[in-house]
Amino acid sequence: MFNYEEATAFLGEWGPFQRLIFFLLSASIIPNGYTGLSAVFLAATPEHWCRIPANVNLSSAWLNASIPLVKRGGRQVRSQCNRYNLEALLNFSAGNLEPGRDVNLSQVGQEKCLDGWEFSREYYDNTIVTEWKLVCDNDWKAPLTVSLLFVGVLLGSFISGQLSDRFGRKNVLFITMGIQTAFSFIQIFSTSWEMFSVLFLIVGMGQISNYVAAFVLGM
């Protein structure tokens, strides 16, 4: 039986070369953390409410009252998916009536956001939610996007080991780092939610594959 120290003597001591390799392998997986955390911000849902078209001839009082108030989180906020019927509001406005004093808004019918949404810019200038209007009937798409990233991680976990055994861990490390980098960059130019989600899945596969390869090489 070989003595462990003798069998591994060719590797040398824990010197500058080993430290450099260990540092570079560790640095190569730093972007993985950014990729995982970026989903929190990329798929964030800002406060939103129904858009009122600019050509609708309503007074400022009626515009302010055009969105119903709902209780959320212990406070009164504007509804995210409904507005008062604009045709009814225009009729009341034409009669010089005032909301609240002359008209009980609870008796005015409501309708969906037929003209889209306005999004708060307080915290986010742009997310995939504001880009492709992933709210109300489509609000399930934002959490699914994040889930698809981790579906990619799951799939990558299954195949990365087999690929590393067949083609070598160094090859898999650099190829999957390239895949993660390239597809993360292409995501910037996504033209639809479907395209963004598929790319996110591929990014997840590259992320876990280069992590596993780097971990084994480091060991």
Side-chain angles (χ1 to χ4, degrees), residues 92-145:
F92 288 129
S93 177
N96 294 320
L97 301 177
E98 294 186 12
R101 190 180 71 176
D102 301 320
V103 178
N104 184 356
L105 290 176
S106 64
Q107 298 176 349
V108 178
Q110 296 186 17
E111 59 188 9
K112 292 186 176 182
C113 300
L114 304 179
D115 299 289
W117 292 265
E118 296 280 355
F119 292 91
S120 170
R121 304 290 180 178
E122 182 179 2
Y123 300 111
Y124 304 98
D125 286 333
N126 197 22
T127 70
I128 63 171
V129 173
T130 63
E131 183 76 16
W132 294 300
K133 310 300 184 288
L134 307 183
V135 294
C136 298
D137 292 340
N138 290 319
D139 60 357
W140 56 272
K141 291 183 178 180
L144 177 61
T145 304

Coordinates of all heavy atoms in Angstrom, one line a residue, residues 92-145:
F92 N -70.3 61.2 -15.1 CA -70.4 62.0 -13.8 C -69.6 63.3 -13.9 O -70.1 64.3 -13.5 CB -69.9 61.1 -12.6 CG -70.8 60.0 -12.3 CD1 -70.3 58.7 -12.1 CD2 -72.2 60.2 -12.0 CE1 -71.1 57.7 -11.8 CE2 -73.0 59.1 -11.7 CZ -72.5 57.9 -11.6
S93 N -68.5 63.2 -14.5 CA -67.6 64.4 -14.6 C -68.3 65.4 -15.5 O -68.3 66.6 -15.2 CB -66.3 64.0 -15.2 OG -65.5 65.2 -15.4
A94 N -69.0 65.0 -16.6 CA -69.7 65.9 -17.5 C -70.8 66.6 -16.8 O -71.2 67.7 -17.2 CB -70.2 65.1 -18.7
G95 N -71.4 66.0 -15.8 CA -72.5 66.6 -15.1 C -72.0 67.5 -13.9 O -72.8 67.8 -13.0
N96 N -70.7 67.8 -13.9 CA -70.1 68.6 -12.9 C -70.3 68.1 -11.5 O -70.4 68.8 -10.5 CB -70.7 70.0 -13.0 CG -70.3 70.7 -14.3 OD1 -69.1 70.6 -14.7 ND2 -71.2 71.4 -14.9
L97 N -70.4 66.8 -11.4 CA -70.4 66.1 -10.1 C -69.0 65.9 -9.5 O -68.1 65.8 -10.3 CB -71.2 64.8 -10.2 CG -72.6 64.9 -10.7 CD1 -73.3 63.5 -10.8 CD2 -73.5 65.8 -9.8
E98 N -68.9 65.8 -8.2 CA -67.6 65.5 -7.6 C -67.6 64.2 -6.9 O -68.6 63.8 -6.3 CB -67.3 66.7 -6.6 CG -67.1 68.0 -7.2 CD -66.7 69.1 -6.2 OE1 -66.3 68.7 -5.1 OE2 -66.7 70.3 -6.5
P99 N -66.5 63.5 -7.0 CA -66.4 62.2 -6.4 C -66.4 62.3 -4.8 O -65.8 63.2 -4.3 CB -65.0 61.6 -6.9 CG -64.2 62.8 -7.2 CD -65.2 63.8 -7.7
G100 N -67.1 61.4 -4.2 CA -67.1 61.4 -2.8 C -68.3 62.2 -2.2 O -69.0 61.8 -1.4
R101 N -68.4 63.5 -2.8 CA -69.5 64.4 -2.3 C -70.8 64.1 -3.0 O -71.9 64.0 -2.4 CB -69.1 65.8 -2.4 CG -70.0 66.8 -1.7 CD -69.6 68.2 -1.8 NE -69.8 68.7 -3.2 CZ -69.6 70.0 -3.6 NH1 -69.1 70.8 -2.7 NH2 -69.8 70.3 -4.8
D102 N -70.7 64.1 -4.4 CA -71.9 63.9 -5.1 C -72.1 62.5 -5.6 O -73.3 62.1 -5.9 CB -71.9 64.8 -6.4 CG -71.8 66.3 -6.0 OD1 -72.4 66.7 -5.0 OD2 -71.0 67.0 -6.7
V103 N -71.1 61.7 -5.6 CA -71.1 60.3 -6.2 C -70.5 59.4 -5.2 O -69.4 59.6 -4.7 CB -70.4 60.2 -7.6 CG1 -70.5 58.8 -8.1 CG2 -71.0 61.2 -8.6
N104 N -71.2 58.3 -4.9 CA -70.7 57.3 -4.0 C -69.9 56.3 -4.9 O -70.5 55.5 -5.7 CB -71.8 56.5 -3.3 CG -71.2 55.5 -2.3 OD1 -70.0 55.2 -2.3 ND2 -72.1 54.8 -1.6
L105 N -68.6 56.3 -4.9 CA -67.8 55.6 -5.8 C -68.0 54.1 -5.7 O -67.7 53.3 -6.6 CB -66.3 55.9 -5.7 CG -65.9 57.3 -6.1 CD1 -64.5 57.6 -5.8 CD2 -66.2 57.5 -7.6
S106 N -68.4 53.6 -4.5 CA -68.6 52.2 -4.3 C -69.7 51.6 -5.2 O -69.8 50.4 -5.4 CB -68.9 51.9 -2.8 OG -70.1 52.5 -2.5
Q107 N -70.6 52.6 -5.7 CA -71.7 52.1 -6.6 C -71.3 52.2 -8.1 O -72.1 51.8 -8.9 CB -72.9 53.0 -6.4 CG -73.4 52.9 -4.9 CD -74.6 53.9 -4.7 OE1 -74.9 54.8 -5.5 NE2 -75.3 53.7 -3.5
V108 N -70.1 52.7 -8.3 CA -69.6 52.8 -9.7 C -69.0 51.4 -10.1 O -68.2 50.9 -9.3 CB -68.6 53.9 -9.9 CG1 -68.0 53.9 -11.3 CG2 -69.2 55.2 -9.5
G109 N -69.3 50.9 -11.2 CA -68.7 49.6 -11.6 C -67.2 49.7 -11.9 O -66.7 50.8 -12.1
Q110 N -66.6 48.6 -11.7 CA -65.1 48.5 -11.9 C -64.8 47.7 -13.2 O -65.6 46.9 -13.7 CB -64.5 47.8 -10.7 CG -64.6 48.7 -9.5 CD -63.8 48.1 -8.3 OE1 -62.9 47.3 -8.5 NE2 -64.1 48.5 -7.1
E111 N -63.7 47.9 -13.7 CA -63.2 47.2 -14.9 C -61.7 46.9 -14.8 O -61.0 47.5 -13.9 CB -63.5 48.0 -16.2 CG -62.8 49.3 -16.2 CD -63.2 50.2 -17.4 OE1 -64.2 49.8 -18.1 OE2 -62.6 51.3 -17.6
K112 N -61.2 46.0 -15.6 CA -59.8 45.6 -15.5 C -58.9 46.8 -16.1 O -59.5 47.7 -16.7 CB -59.5 44.3 -16.2 CG -60.1 43.1 -15.5 CD -59.7 41.8 -16.2 CE -60.2 40.6 -15.4 NZ -59.8 39.3 -16.0
C113 N -57.6 46.6 -16.0 CA -56.7 47.6 -16.6 C -56.6 47.5 -18.1 O -55.7 46.9 -18.6 CB -55.4 47.5 -15.9 SG -55.4 47.7 -14.1
L114 N -57.6 48.0 -18.8 CA -57.7 47.8 -20.2 C -56.6 48.6 -21.0 O -56.4 48.3 -22.2 CB -59.1 48.3 -20.7 CG -60.3 47.6 -20.0 CD1 -61.6 48.1 -20.6 CD2 -60.2 46.1 -20.2
D115 N -56.0 49.6 -20.4 CA -55.0 50.4 -21.0 C -53.6 50.2 -20.4 O -52.7 51.0 -20.6 CB -55.4 51.9 -21.0 CG -56.7 52.1 -21.6 OD1 -56.7 52.1 -22.9 OD2 -57.7 52.4 -20.9
G116 N -53.4 49.0 -19.7 CA -52.1 48.8 -19.2 C -51.9 49.3 -17.8 O -52.9 49.6 -17.1
W117 N -50.7 49.4 -17.3 CA -50.4 49.8 -15.9 C -49.4 50.9 -15.9 O -48.6 51.1 -16.8 CB -49.9 48.6 -15.2 CG -50.9 47.5 -15.0 CD1 -51.7 47.3 -13.9 CD2 -51.2 46.4 -15.9 NE1 -52.5 46.2 -14.0 CE2 -52.2 45.6 -15.3 CE3 -50.8 46.1 -17.2 CZ2 -52.8 44.5 -15.9 CZ3 -51.3 45.0 -17.8 CH2 -52.3 44.2 -17.1
E118 N -49.5 51.6 -14.8 CA -48.4 52.5 -14.4 C -47.6 51.9 -13.2 O -48.2 51.3 -12.3 CB -49.0 53.9 -13.8 CG -49.7 54.6 -14.9 CD -48.8 55.4 -15.8 OE1 -47.6 55.4 -15.6 OE2 -49.4 56.0 -16.8
F119 N -46.3 52.0 -13.3 CA -45.4 51.3 -12.3 C -44.7 52.4 -11.5 O -44.1 53.4 -12.1 CB -44.4 50.4 -12.9 CG -45.1 49.2 -13.5 CD1 -45.5 49.1 -14.9 CD2 -45.3 48.0 -12.8 CE1 -46.1 48.0 -15.4 CE2 -45.9 46.9 -13.3 CZ -46.3 46.9 -14.6
S120 N -44.6 52.2 -10.2 CA -43.8 53.1 -9.3 C -42.3 52.9 -9.7 O -41.8 51.8 -9.9 CB -44.0 52.7 -7.9 OG -43.1 53.4 -7.0
R121 N -41.6 54.1 -9.8 CA -40.2 54.1 -10.0 C -39.4 54.4 -8.7 O -38.2 54.7 -8.8 CB -39.8 55.1 -11.1 CG -40.6 55.0 -12.4 CD -40.1 53.8 -13.1 NE -40.9 53.6 -14.4 CZ -40.6 52.6 -15.3 NH1 -39.7 51.7 -15.0 NH2 -41.4 52.6 -16.4
E122 N -40.0 54.2 -7.6 CA -39.4 54.6 -6.3 C -38.1 53.7 -6.1 O -37.1 54.2 -5.6 CB -40.4 54.4 -5.2 CG -39.8 54.8 -3.8 CD -40.8 54.7 -2.7 OE1 -42.0 54.3 -3.0 OE2 -40.5 55.1 -1.6
Y123 N -38.2 52.4 -6.3 CA -37.1 51.5 -6.0 C -36.5 50.9 -7.3 O -35.3 50.6 -7.3 CB -37.6 50.4 -5.1 CG -38.1 50.8 -3.8 CD1 -39.5 50.7 -3.5 CD2 -37.3 51.4 -2.8 CE1 -40.0 51.2 -2.3 CE2 -37.8 51.8 -1.6 CZ -39.1 51.7 -1.4 OH -39.6 52.1 -0.2
Y124 N -37.3 50.7 -8.3 CA -36.8 50.0 -9.5 C -37.1 50.9 -10.8 O -38.3 51.3 -11.0 CB -37.4 48.6 -9.7 CG -37.2 47.7 -8.5 CD1 -38.2 47.5 -7.6 CD2 -36.0 47.0 -8.3 CE1 -38.0 46.7 -6.5 CE2 -35.8 46.2 -7.3 CZ -36.8 46.0 -6.3 OH -36.6 45.2 -5.2
D125 N -36.1 51.1 -11.6 CA -36.4 51.7 -12.9 C -37.0 50.8 -13.9 O -37.9 51.2 -14.7 CB -35.1 52.3 -13.5 CG -34.6 53.6 -12.8 OD1 -35.4 54.3 -12.2 OD2 -33.4 53.8 -12.8
N126 N -36.5 49.5 -13.8 CA -37.1 48.5 -14.8 C -36.8 47.1 -14.3 O -35.7 46.9 -13.7 CB -36.4 48.7 -16.1 CG -37.1 48.1 -17.3 OD1 -38.3 47.8 -17.1 ND2 -36.4 47.8 -18.4
T127 N -37.8 46.3 -14.4 CA -37.6 44.8 -14.1 C -38.3 44.1 -15.2 O -39.0 44.7 -16.1 CB -38.2 44.5 -12.7 OG1 -39.7 44.6 -12.8 CG2 -37.7 45.4 -11.6
I128 N -38.2 42.7 -15.2 CA -38.9 42.0 -16.2 C -40.4 42.1 -16.0 O -41.2 41.9 -16.9 CB -38.5 40.5 -16.2 CG1 -38.9 39.8 -14.8 CG2 -37.1 40.3 -16.5 CD1 -38.7 38.3 -14.8
V129 N -40.9 42.4 -14.8 CA -42.3 42.6 -14.5 C -42.8 43.9 -15.2 O -43.9 43.9 -15.9 CB -42.6 42.7 -13.0 CG1 -44.0 43.1 -12.7 CG2 -42.2 41.4 -12.3
T130 N -42.1 45.0 -15.1 CA -42.5 46.2 -15.8 C -42.3 46.1 -17.3 O -43.0 46.7 -18.1 CB -41.7 47.4 -15.2 OG1 -40.3 47.3 -15.5 CG2 -41.9 47.5 -13.7
E131 N -41.2 45.3 -17.7 CA -40.9 45.2 -19.1 C -42.0 44.5 -19.9 O -42.4 44.9 -21.0 CB -39.6 44.5 -19.3 CG -39.1 44.4 -20.7 CD -38.5 45.6 -21.3 OE1 -38.2 46.5 -20.5 OE2 -38.4 45.7 -22.5
W132 N -42.5 43.4 -19.3 CA -43.5 42.5 -20.0 C -44.8 42.4 -19.3 O -45.6 41.6 -19.5 CB -42.9 41.1 -20.3 CG -41.7 41.2 -21.2 CD1 -41.7 41.7 -22.5 CD2 -40.4 40.8 -20.9 NE1 -40.5 41.6 -23.0 CE2 -39.6 41.1 -22.1 CE3 -39.7 40.3 -19.8 CZ2 -38.3 40.8 -22.2 CZ3 -38.4 40.0 -19.9 CH2 -37.6 40.3 -21.0
K133 N -45.1 43.4 -18.4 CA -46.3 43.5 -17.7 C -46.8 42.2 -17.0 O -47.9 41.7 -17.2 CB -47.4 44.0 -18.6 CG -47.0 45.2 -19.4 CD -46.7 46.4 -18.6 CE -46.5 47.7 -19.4 NZ -45.2 47.6 -20.1
L134 N -45.9 41.7 -16.2 CA -46.2 40.4 -15.5 C -46.9 40.6 -14.2 O -46.4 40.3 -13.1 CB -44.8 39.6 -15.3 CG -43.9 39.4 -16.5 CD1 -42.7 38.6 -16.1 CD2 -44.7 38.8 -17.6
V135 N -48.1 41.1 -14.3 CA -48.9 41.4 -13.2 C -50.4 41.0 -13.4 O -50.7 40.6 -14.5 CB -49.0 43.0 -12.9 CG1 -47.6 43.4 -12.4 CG2 -49.4 43.8 -14.1
C136 N -51.1 40.9 -12.3 CA -52.5 40.5 -12.4 C -52.7 39.1 -13.0 O -52.2 38.2 -12.4 CB -53.4 41.6 -13.1 SG -53.3 43.2 -12.3
D137 N -53.3 39.0 -14.2 CA -53.5 37.6 -14.7 C -52.2 36.9 -15.1 O -52.1 35.7 -15.2 CB -54.4 37.7 -16.0 CG -55.8 38.1 -15.7 OD1 -56.2 38.0 -14.5 OD2 -56.5 38.6 -16.6
N138 N -51.1 37.7 -15.2 CA -49.8 37.1 -15.6 C -48.8 37.2 -14.4 O -47.6 37.0 -14.6 CB -49.2 37.9 -16.8 CG -49.9 37.6 -18.0 OD1 -50.3 36.5 -18.3 ND2 -50.1 38.6 -18.8
D139 N -49.3 37.4 -13.2 CA -48.4 37.5 -12.0 C -47.7 36.2 -11.7 O -46.7 36.2 -10.9 CB -49.1 38.1 -10.8 CG -50.2 37.2 -10.4 OD1 -50.5 36.1 -11.0 OD2 -50.9 37.5 -9.3
W140 N -48.1 35.1 -12.2 CA -47.4 33.8 -12.0 C -46.1 33.7 -12.7 O -45.3 32.8 -12.4 CB -48.4 32.6 -12.3 CG -48.8 32.7 -13.8 CD1 -50.0 33.3 -14.2 CD2 -48.2 32.1 -14.9 NE1 -50.1 33.2 -15.6 CE2 -49.0 32.4 -16.0 CE3 -47.1 31.3 -15.1 CZ2 -48.7 32.0 -17.3 CZ3 -46.8 30.9 -16.4 CH2 -47.6 31.2 -17.5
K141 N -45.9 34.5 -13.7 CA -44.7 34.3 -14.6 C -43.4 34.8 -13.9 O -42.4 34.2 -14.1 CB -44.9 35.1 -15.9 CG -46.0 34.5 -16.8 CD -46.1 35.3 -18.1 CE -47.1 34.7 -19.0 NZ -47.2 35.4 -20.3
A142 N -43.5 35.8 -13.0 CA -42.3 36.3 -12.4 C -41.7 35.2 -11.4 O -40.5 34.9 -11.5 CB -42.6 37.6 -11.6
P143 N -42.5 34.6 -10.5 CA -41.9 33.6 -9.7 C -41.5 32.3 -10.5 O -40.5 31.7 -10.1 CB -43.0 33.2 -8.7 CG -44.2 33.8 -9.2 CD -43.8 34.9 -10.1
L144 N -42.2 32.1 -11.6 CA -41.8 30.9 -12.4 C -40.4 31.2 -13.1 O -39.6 30.3 -13.2 CB -42.8 30.7 -13.5 CG -42.5 29.6 -14.5 CD1 -42.3 28.2 -13.8 CD2 -43.5 29.5 -15.6
T145 N -40.1 32.4 -13.4 CA -38.8 32.8 -14.0 C -37.7 32.4 -13.0 O -36.7 31.8 -13.4 CB -38.7 34.3 -14.3 OG1 -39.8 34.6 -15.1 CG2 -37.4 34.7 -15.0

